[in-house]
Amino acid sequence: MKKLWGGRFKENMDPQFRKFNASLPVDWRLLEADIQVNKAYAQALRKAGILTGHEEKSIQSALDNIREKNSKNPTHILKNIEQGIEDIHTYVETEVIKSAGEAGYKIHTGRSRNEQVSTDLRIYLRQEILSLQKSLKNLCFILIGLAEQNFDVIMPGYTHLQKAQPVLFPHYLMAYFEKFCRDIQRLDEVFTRTNVLPLGSGALTGSHTKIDRNFLCKLLGFAEISSNSMDAVSDRDFILDFTGAGSIILIHLSRLAEDLILYSSSEFGFIELRDNVATGSSLMPHKKNPDALELIRGKTGQAFGHHMGMLALMKGLPLTYNKDLQESQNHLFESADIASTCVSMMATILKNIILHKERIRQSAQSDYIDATEVVDYLIRKGLPFRKAHHIAGKVVLFGIEAGLPLHKIKLKDFHRFSPLFDKDVYDIFSLEKIISAKDIPGGTSPERVKEAIRQSKKKLE
Amino acid sequence: MKKLWGGRFKENMDPQFRKFNASLPVDWRLLEADIQVNKAYAQALRKAGILTGHEEKSIQSALDNIREKNSKNPTHILKNIEQGIEDIHTYVETEVIKSAGEAGYKIHTGRSRNEQVSTDLRIYLRQEILSLQKSLKNLCFILIGLAEQNFDVIMPGYTHLQKAQPVLFPHYLMAYFEKFCRDIQRLDEVFTRTNVLPLGSGALTGSHTKIDRNFLCKLLGFAEISSNSMDAVSDRDFILDFTGAGSIILIHLSRLAEDLILYSSSEFGFIELRDNVATGSSLMPHKKNPDALELIRGKTGQAFGHHMGMLALMKGLPLTYNKDLQESQNHLFESADIASTCVSMMATILKNIILHKERIRQSAQSDYIDATEVVDYLIRKGLPFRKAHHIAGKVVLFGIEAGLPLHKIKLKDFHRFSPLFDKDVYDIFSLEKIISAKDIPGGTSPERVKEAIRQSKKKLE
Amino acid sequence: MKKLWGGRFKENMDPQFRKFNASLPVDWRLLEADIQVNKAYAQALRKAGILTGHEEKSIQSALDNIREKNSKNPTHILKNIEQGIEDIHTYVETEVIKSAGEAGYKIHTGRSRNEQVSTDLRIYLRQEILSLQKSLKNLCFILIGLAEQNFDVIMPGYTHLQKAQPVLFPHYLMAYFEKFCRDIQRLDEVFTRTNVLPLGSGALTGSHTKIDRNFLCKLLGFAEISSNSMDAVSDRDFILDFTGAGSIILIHLSRLAEDLILYSSSEFGFIELRDNVATGSSLMPHKKNPDALELIRGKTGQAFGHHMGMLALMKGLPLTYNKDLQESQNHLFESADIASTCVSMMATILKNIILHKERIRQSAQSDYIDATEVVDYLIRKGLPFRKAHHIAGKVVLFGIEAGLPLHKIKLKDFHRFSPLFDKDVYDIFSLEKIISAKDIPGGTSPERVKEAIRQSKKKLE
Amino acid sequence: MKKLWGGRFKENMDPQFRKFNASLPVDWRLLEADIQVNKAYAQALRKAGILTGHEEKSIQSALDNIREKNSKNPTHILKNIEQGIEDIHTYVETEVIKSAGEAGYKIHTGRSRNEQVSTDLRIYLRQEILSLQKSLKNLCFILIGLAEQNFDVIMPGYTHLQKAQPVLFPHYLMAYFEKFCRDIQRLDEVFTRTNVLPLGSGALTGSHTKIDRNFLCKLLGFAEISSNSMDAVSDRDFILDFTGAGSIILIHLSRLAEDLILYSSSEFGFIELRDNVATGSSLMPHKKNPDALELIRGKTGQAFGHHMGMLALMKGLPLTYNKDLQESQNHLFESADIASTCVSMMATILKNIILHKERIRQSAQSDYIDATEVVDYLIRKGLPFRKAHHIAGKVVLFGIEAGLPLHKIKLKDFHRFSPLFDKDVYDIFSLEKIISAKDIPGGTSPERVKEAIRQSKKKLE
């Protein structure tokens, strides 16, 4: 037996169609999940009186053998396509029949591949989510570590890629911590929606075999069973949720990648990648390129593509199962791989960057980045904000035209713009003072950042 | 004063650039949110000692006036573009200054538009989410009502758009209930991520003014304050989450639309739209077209487009705020409008469909839709599933070639395929029996569906 | 030598990074193109005096050996990743050095991988385009053949999935002919933009070695050389054009698939797939599912995804080459595979459909599909169109309520709506007459369709 | 009369549905095109003997009046929605009937909105394409002008955002010229596919009225008539082609925007935006932000979104017309607006940038950007390329560790790496020499660039 159907058919499959239709090249990844599902289902069938104890045992050991046999090189399964095995479920059922005989013919009793593939995918995805969350947590710990090791580094903060105000480097890093934390939380939600058991839904109506769905639920570690069989076999929300979450993870990674690419340009010169995570050029001998960061940024397109593919795939499909859903597997597997390799690559990169602290500090005190302090100064002297802002703007313009940084402008020149300026104006330009003044929850003052790091560690544990 | 900046500039804006840059044509929608933010911020400034009680009062009444003035026709605000007002924040601040005088110059103290716009957007989106959830709940109630009114209608269930097995029409409807329920849940999660207050983050470093962020949080009804100022002003995850959730809502609607378009074709003939939700043709006088359903399906593309636009927009942006983020507003507003009008249009359509019950029932008992019962019959007679399946397939093939439905095949002809067939085989083809046999949680038996409806009502309340 | 760079580096690559960075798993497909490029480049280097005749010969035979060695199983190349070979260019250069010795060290003179990979991709894509166009032409011939074999079949034409007016089945088929013809034309345009040689652009500035670009152009069969080196190495328009064209091909295929899925449902019953291109169900023995068509429709999502991925990838990349571009290869290869397998699968399906002509004809004359003829009749009797349309609508309504098709309505009942009706009204409902009346270029009258088929054949040749 | 249909209907439209269904808020933009189509159609109807000369005249003057009436403020048309006018075609026909009386009732004879809307859209799009091409040409001229004005400026060229090799600034600009040229060419192709007349296709079968399609074709300035009526009313390839071309234009603009954002950062400092195309910050008085460039980059997401929306919209639609196609209008109009405003904004920006030439030159000679010359030097001295590359890498590493630029390394230190170095090595580091050496078609040598500019001017004319 090589197909799970065919009694009603008189012709063989066209070879081109057989190849086009075979999903084994993609769904071999579900082998372990499919074995788990079959093992649980065999128990349920025994409980329902469909299988004898002896029959179940022979099925269980057949399943153990399949697992054993493919543990080393699961892609060997692909050879079965040539023999007409179309998918992983057919492979497993065929192997069970081969080794368990008559009992094997019963394993699919009251069951449909429609519910089975959804169950397999959910088991697979649960595992991927947990492992991706672990990777994200690791990345978060690395950010925290980097923040602690370089706690006193002050860098320029940017808006519009123009220098805006100085910030603590750890504060900058913790901004990404927040982003990745949201990713972990979002994955929790995807997990909840994934962790619902469709098994027992039959092809679309609910199984006519009285298997105990709650028993299956417990065996397979799901949190609950699905409530409607037609929804269960037609639904791929859990994959849409995942490819969506994966796209957002890649957005966060791509932004960090962009920052690091900029910071490692010779113009910024804030960081350097260690040789072990950089590449050279086949033509230009001096080049040291941030390929890893660029690849992460580039793979963002792929993450979006798979998400978009899923959306387009699902649009306007009539209920219930349609074969189009087969294509969701590719989107899921690729999305999971991209997210997982990029998160872990980024972690490795962060462990291998060298900070050029002097250059960073120097940059944090040039280009009128301290102009906002002048506004604040004038407010303290009694001017309303909007007017103070206007005057400070005029002072900056004067500085630019005179070629002077703010702290080099003479008091008499300050007085051109407001009589409120006094000698104490020269006190406001210290980097440490500027940073410390942002003493508000979520702000960049050292105390606040220290507290934020403390809270973050707690959150991760 | 028409701009919130400019002291450092010597030239006027190029007119083309002024038009290109003006966001008022989009962000006028944030007027109410911006007023709320300003009202709370004025209180916080007074608490921080920046504003006197008197000053705050005059700002509050200025804000009340702005609200009052624009309550009828907020799009009148757009006329201000010609006077050089670039965005809604500038409009509000300018108006405040006009009416509150000197105090008005203080309203922006220690604040940046970067944090303000994010706060406004979150307030706006909270409202949209709540209203969309209400619409979705309404749609769910209509599905339940339709299910209850037509509880006994049996229809053909489809896989691959081929008749698969009969199901209860209410079971079919409740499949969509499940989908929309997940949408409501997903929006809860988006709400949680939206309901975080960025105000106090300043331009990117945290405000240097010691305003009480937790006080603002309470005043504006947020659940918590953001933890990192650089994250706060650079983050648009909440919009990505929403456009993603909106895309999935539209997928669900598009699938229901597709079903109803099919069911109202003359070939299916299951339902008819009432005249009040159908249209005709300018050329062909007999046409009655399901335009509303097609438009919902078509708008799914727009929902995807705005989601994809958001993803592409965010990719690779360096920290922190970049003006690109301005474009996220359009994606948000359009997404919210599409989801909300389509959900509520679908509700109205469902209230205006006529079931052709006789035709539906007839369809539910033709085209060998009862073949799976033969498999079950043979299993009960002792055959293992996979063999029973094969024999039933052969029986179907015989029926097709002889032009006979299964219940018209003679017993002796059944015997060609298996000696296990007996007279009682003719008992298995009753629609009611077939339905009742799916007596498993989530299955289509009347008892199970009744229970599902009961649970669903509970869930909604 | 395993890398084409490294003199400036002191550390080895991190193993995770090496794996992440290796493009060999994707770009091994460029082997043949890379060999061609190297062969041509060796000739150019000899012409430029960089290689002696002897040196060139040894390089040419080294390249022949590489081709020979990998002709059977090119994926064997992948084993080289473990030895640190990062991409196909490195593989080829390394092998050339191995076998040609000192001469091999010269093959990359004045050349950069930036220009080389773009050249390879263009050579690869040219081949893919030509082969895809051939497939599309084959599909067009099959449509024409089907049209000719079933020239007299009249079917209902649809708008809004409601029966609109009868059409010739061949006219319906030729609508798709037009769509696929546009695809062939669009691919011509992509070909033109692809067929431009970047070689000689160096890393970004133009080569400092005076190789003869026009000589290379001729050797490699390109139509012209690129005009600006910085554009040449930064440009991937040709891939964007191709993934865009591929997406539109899939849209056309998905529409045809949708039609055929509908037409093969038991409700429509117009066509049946032969057993050799249909599948069954693992649970329901009667099912015959149009999996192939659904998969084509589903793969449309993947085509879109790769196009979207390309767009997102390119957005906002600074000049010139960035490693992000590496990811464009995957999008290109996958797009090409999807388009090519789906076009050819569709061709096979069309060769294996069975028409149920009686059922189609019956459908073409029911459900008031002939109502527009009444409008035309009244116009001929002197009524202006818009009024005729209104009266015909009233007649249809009368028919629906009386349960009568138009030709069964009595003349006295016609008179309720207009005195212009006469006995000759009963002549207008013949299917053949209705069809013949659309005697306008592009219309469905047999003469016009015959002419269209004649023109189409000419066009294809 | 407010609807073009209704005879067959007994109920009024539900108000919510009427609003949802009304396309006037979008398709009012087609007014001028619809008038043109009606004017031509009236002539064709007269030629076909449907209209008398007198009737046609009264229709023509009715159409003139409509055009006249709405010439000032076409959005006034929107008020008609409240009176039940659903789309622009209904508006025009209703107005014609109002003013031309009985003759007006004939204007839609043998015509369908399905063909009419496609014709209108094609006329609209032709205009948009021509105007966009004009804008692109203007942008190209500006690039050329900028190149000529700054012909001698040498800047660093980048790969991977790392300094690669020096290039002429005009060479850099001309890279974008090439990209925009391809855009113009691509729009030519879209134009060709757009410029095909569907009128005469009827609802889907071809008109039963013998109007002269070739006469209409000439009147409306189309290049040819469509070949198949079912294709004609179901096809939106021309919009897909346009949204695709628009997305690529935005990619090119976003890359230029990214470059200019980088170059105007204080770290690069190559350019400065004039005050008239920059903005300030509401909080930070020193800021001068490149908002216009960021908005262009951000709008790229919208361009992609509309393209993706179109793709998703079209997927799997059965033939022929479905109301989903209505939504294509919004995608088209928005795409056209985005492309056109962004191209022309970019032109204005380029006219308002200030080059910091000294800083650019300085940057072009630092950071080992001249290392590739060492490779070339060693090749000239007889070393094969790959070995020369390795040695040059070692020299760079020495320079980095010693803190010396290449031209400051002593000869004896050069000798550590190869005895081939001689005193003449110090001659290779002149910027002008380096540039001049790239004397190959498409290269950056002044002669080649001059020639390229000359060719480009020719191409544009």
Side-chain angles (χ1 to χ4, degrees), chain C residues 78-95:
Chain C
L78 296 183
K79 287 182 306 189
N80 289 283
I81 300 170
E82 289 152 41
Q83 294 153 46
I85 299 293
E86 65 185 17
D87 60 20
I88 192 68
H89 322 296
T90 305
Y91 169 73
V92 172
E93 186 170 335
T94 309
E95 292 288 307

mmCIF file of all heavy atoms in Angstrom, chain C residues 78-95:
data_model
loop_
_atom_site.group_PDB
_atom_site.id
_atom_site.type_symbol
_atom_site.label_atom_id
_atom_site.label_comp_id
_atom_site.label_asym_id
_atom_site.label_seq_id
_atom_site.Cartn_x
_atom_site.Cartn_y
_atom_site.Cartn_z
ATOM 1 N N LEU C 78 28.071 21.006 -2.365
ATOM 2 C CA LEU C 78 27.740 21.492 -1.024
ATOM 3 C C LEU C 78 28.692 20.982 0.050
ATOM 4 O O LEU C 78 28.861 21.626 1.090
ATOM 5 C CB LEU C 78 26.289 21.124 -0.676
ATOM 6 C CG LEU C 78 25.251 21.791 -1.581
ATOM 7 C CD1 LEU C 78 23.844 21.438 -1.143
ATOM 8 C CD2 LEU C 78 25.447 23.295 -1.558
ATOM 9 N N LYS C 79 29.295 19.839 -0.208
ATOM 10 C CA LYS C 79 30.233 19.308 0.790
ATOM 11 C C LYS C 79 31.393 20.255 1.046
ATOM 12 O O LYS C 79 32.040 20.187 2.083
ATOM 13 C CB LYS C 79 30.779 17.955 0.317
ATOM 14 C CG LYS C 79 29.744 16.833 0.418
ATOM 15 C CD LYS C 79 30.359 15.516 -0.027
ATOM 16 C CE LYS C 79 30.973 15.667 -1.418
ATOM 17 N NZ LYS C 79 31.409 14.384 -2.010
ATOM 18 N N ASN C 80 31.660 21.146 0.081
ATOM 19 C CA ASN C 80 32.786 22.060 0.244
ATOM 20 C C ASN C 80 32.587 23.100 1.337
ATOM 21 O O ASN C 80 33.533 23.759 1.748
ATOM 22 C CB ASN C 80 33.060 22.772 -1.087
ATOM 23 C CG ASN C 80 33.645 21.817 -2.111
ATOM 24 O OD1 ASN C 80 34.812 21.495 -2.055
ATOM 25 N ND2 ASN C 80 32.796 21.339 -3.009
ATOM 26 N N ILE C 81 31.323 23.267 1.771
ATOM 27 C CA ILE C 81 31.074 24.239 2.841
ATOM 28 C C ILE C 81 31.880 23.885 4.073
ATOM 29 O O ILE C 81 32.490 24.741 4.713
ATOM 30 C CB ILE C 81 29.580 24.282 3.202
ATOM 31 C CG1 ILE C 81 28.777 24.679 1.972
ATOM 32 C CG2 ILE C 81 29.331 25.255 4.350
ATOM 33 C CD1 ILE C 81 27.277 24.519 2.152
ATOM 34 N N GLU C 82 31.877 22.578 4.385
ATOM 35 C CA GLU C 82 32.613 22.146 5.583
ATOM 36 C C GLU C 82 34.093 22.491 5.495
ATOM 37 O O GLU C 82 34.767 22.640 6.505
ATOM 38 C CB GLU C 82 32.422 20.641 5.775
ATOM 39 C CG GLU C 82 31.005 20.296 6.205
ATOM 40 C CD GLU C 82 30.609 18.890 5.748
ATOM 41 O OE1 GLU C 82 31.467 18.003 5.851
ATOM 42 O OE2 GLU C 82 29.452 18.707 5.289
ATOM 43 N N GLN C 83 34.583 22.593 4.275
ATOM 44 C CA GLN C 83 36.004 22.952 4.136
ATOM 45 C C GLN C 83 36.195 24.468 4.039
ATOM 46 O O GLN C 83 37.283 24.937 3.736
ATOM 47 C CB GLN C 83 36.569 22.285 2.881
ATOM 48 C CG GLN C 83 36.599 20.765 3.004
ATOM 49 C CD GLN C 83 36.518 20.133 1.633
ATOM 50 O OE1 GLN C 83 37.208 20.533 0.712
ATOM 51 N NE2 GLN C 83 35.653 19.133 1.490
ATOM 52 N N GLY C 84 35.143 25.206 4.275
ATOM 53 C CA GLY C 84 35.305 26.645 4.370
ATOM 54 C C GLY C 84 35.087 27.400 3.063
ATOM 55 O O GLY C 84 35.368 28.599 2.990
ATOM 56 N N ILE C 85 34.614 26.724 2.043
ATOM 57 C CA ILE C 85 34.325 27.399 0.772
ATOM 58 C C ILE C 85 32.997 28.132 0.920
ATOM 59 O O ILE C 85 31.971 27.507 1.173
ATOM 60 C CB ILE C 85 34.212 26.358 -0.368
ATOM 61 C CG1 ILE C 85 35.522 25.600 -0.538
ATOM 62 C CG2 ILE C 85 33.767 27.013 -1.676
ATOM 63 C CD1 ILE C 85 36.671 26.436 -1.045
ATOM 64 N N GLU C 86 32.983 29.463 0.783
ATOM 65 C CA GLU C 86 31.766 30.179 1.137
ATOM 66 C C GLU C 86 30.752 30.327 0.008
ATOM 67 O O GLU C 86 29.573 30.421 0.248
ATOM 68 C CB GLU C 86 32.077 31.535 1.769
ATOM 69 C CG GLU C 86 32.753 32.525 0.838
ATOM 70 C CD GLU C 86 33.154 33.814 1.559
ATOM 71 O OE1 GLU C 86 33.205 33.825 2.791
ATOM 72 O OE2 GLU C 86 33.419 34.815 0.878
ATOM 73 N N ASP C 87 31.245 30.369 -1.225
ATOM 74 C CA ASP C 87 30.278 30.568 -2.303
ATOM 75 C C ASP C 87 30.751 29.911 -3.589
ATOM 76 O O ASP C 87 31.849 29.347 -3.643
ATOM 77 C CB ASP C 87 29.976 32.057 -2.516
ATOM 78 C CG ASP C 87 31.214 32.864 -2.875
ATOM 79 O OD1 ASP C 87 32.210 32.260 -3.328
ATOM 80 O OD2 ASP C 87 31.182 34.091 -2.706
ATOM 81 N N ILE C 88 29.929 29.974 -4.600
ATOM 82 C CA ILE C 88 30.235 29.280 -5.841
ATOM 83 C C ILE C 88 31.454 29.884 -6.531
ATOM 84 O O ILE C 88 32.246 29.164 -7.144
ATOM 85 C CB ILE C 88 28.996 29.277 -6.782
ATOM 86 C CG1 ILE C 88 29.208 28.314 -7.951
ATOM 87 C CG2 ILE C 88 28.674 30.673 -7.291
ATOM 88 C CD1 ILE C 88 29.251 26.860 -7.555
ATOM 89 N N HIS C 89 31.650 31.181 -6.369
ATOM 90 C CA HIS C 89 32.797 31.828 -7.008
ATOM 91 C C HIS C 89 34.099 31.358 -6.360
ATOM 92 O O HIS C 89 35.092 31.118 -7.027
ATOM 93 C CB HIS C 89 32.682 33.346 -6.928
ATOM 94 C CG HIS C 89 31.296 33.824 -7.114
ATOM 95 N ND1 HIS C 89 30.610 33.656 -8.295
ATOM 96 C CD2 HIS C 89 30.409 34.417 -6.258
ATOM 97 C CE1 HIS C 89 29.390 34.136 -8.160
ATOM 98 N NE2 HIS C 89 29.247 34.594 -6.933
ATOM 99 N N THR C 90 34.056 31.258 -5.045
ATOM 100 C CA THR C 90 35.227 30.760 -4.330
ATOM 101 C C THR C 90 35.510 29.314 -4.724
ATOM 102 O O THR C 90 36.664 28.914 -4.933
ATOM 103 C CB THR C 90 34.992 30.847 -2.812
ATOM 104 O OG1 THR C 90 34.642 32.187 -2.481
ATOM 105 C CG2 THR C 90 36.240 30.436 -2.034
ATOM 106 N N TYR C 91 34.431 28.543 -4.840
ATOM 107 C CA TYR C 91 34.609 27.144 -5.244
ATOM 108 C C TYR C 91 35.306 27.060 -6.592
ATOM 109 O O TYR C 91 36.302 26.357 -6.753
ATOM 110 C CB TYR C 91 33.249 26.436 -5.298
ATOM 111 C CG TYR C 91 33.326 25.082 -5.944
ATOM 112 C CD1 TYR C 91 33.926 24.004 -5.276
ATOM 113 C CD2 TYR C 91 32.850 24.874 -7.239
ATOM 114 C CE1 TYR C 91 34.023 22.764 -5.878
ATOM 115 C CE2 TYR C 91 32.958 23.628 -7.850
ATOM 116 C CZ TYR C 91 33.548 22.581 -7.163
ATOM 117 O OH TYR C 91 33.662 21.349 -7.771
ATOM 118 N N VAL C 92 34.793 27.805 -7.556
ATOM 119 C CA VAL C 92 35.365 27.725 -8.894
ATOM 120 C C VAL C 92 36.798 28.229 -8.902
ATOM 121 O O VAL C 92 37.706 27.562 -9.421
ATOM 122 C CB VAL C 92 34.491 28.484 -9.925
ATOM 123 C CG1 VAL C 92 35.196 28.567 -11.274
ATOM 124 C CG2 VAL C 92 33.134 27.805 -10.078
ATOM 125 N N GLU C 93 37.043 29.382 -8.278
ATOM 126 C CA GLU C 93 38.418 29.908 -8.295
ATOM 127 C C GLU C 93 39.382 28.950 -7.604
ATOM 128 O O GLU C 93 40.502 28.717 -8.086
ATOM 129 C CB GLU C 93 38.465 31.310 -7.651
ATOM 130 C CG GLU C 93 39.852 31.949 -7.793
ATOM 131 C CD GLU C 93 39.902 33.425 -7.387
ATOM 132 O OE1 GLU C 93 38.846 34.093 -7.438
ATOM 133 O OE2 GLU C 93 40.987 33.893 -7.003
ATOM 134 N N THR C 94 38.944 28.402 -6.493
ATOM 135 C CA THR C 94 39.798 27.467 -5.762
ATOM 136 C C THR C 94 40.141 26.242 -6.607
ATOM 137 O O THR C 94 41.285 25.789 -6.658
ATOM 138 C CB THR C 94 39.080 27.027 -4.472
ATOM 139 O OG1 THR C 94 38.649 28.179 -3.776
ATOM 140 C CG2 THR C 94 39.998 26.224 -3.576
ATOM 141 N N GLU C 95 39.129 25.733 -7.276
ATOM 142 C CA GLU C 95 39.360 24.567 -8.123
ATOM 143 C C GLU C 95 40.269 24.908 -9.303
ATOM 144 O O GLU C 95 41.112 24.089 -9.696
ATOM 145 C CB GLU C 95 38.018 24.031 -8.663
ATOM 146 C CG GLU C 95 37.104 23.429 -7.597
ATOM 147 C CD GLU C 95 37.624 22.087 -7.080
ATOM 148 O OE1 GLU C 95 37.891 21.209 -7.916
ATOM 149 O OE2 GLU C 95 37.786 21.954 -5.846
#
